[in-house]
Amino acid sequence: MCSVGDGFGVDIQDVLEPKNYECNDCGNKFQGIGKKVTCPACQSNSVKLA
Ligand SMILES: [Zn+2]
């Protein structure tokens, strides 16, 4: 019993939660997931949290 412990301390919720971004180049507003987010309209990685 109890052989399956809580060995997985991964914060999955923090990674999969989409956030609102705004592109600095074209002003497009979109949702992105993860740390490396690029604009879907112009493929720029110069984005900021909206
Ligand atoms: Zn853009």
Side-chain angles (χ1 to χ4, degrees), residues 22-28 30 38-44 46-47:
E22 181 176 351
C23 179
N24 289 321
D25 287 345
C26 71
N28 180 39
F30 59 96
T38 56
C39 173
C42 68
Q43 272 72 49
S44 173
S46 179
V47 301

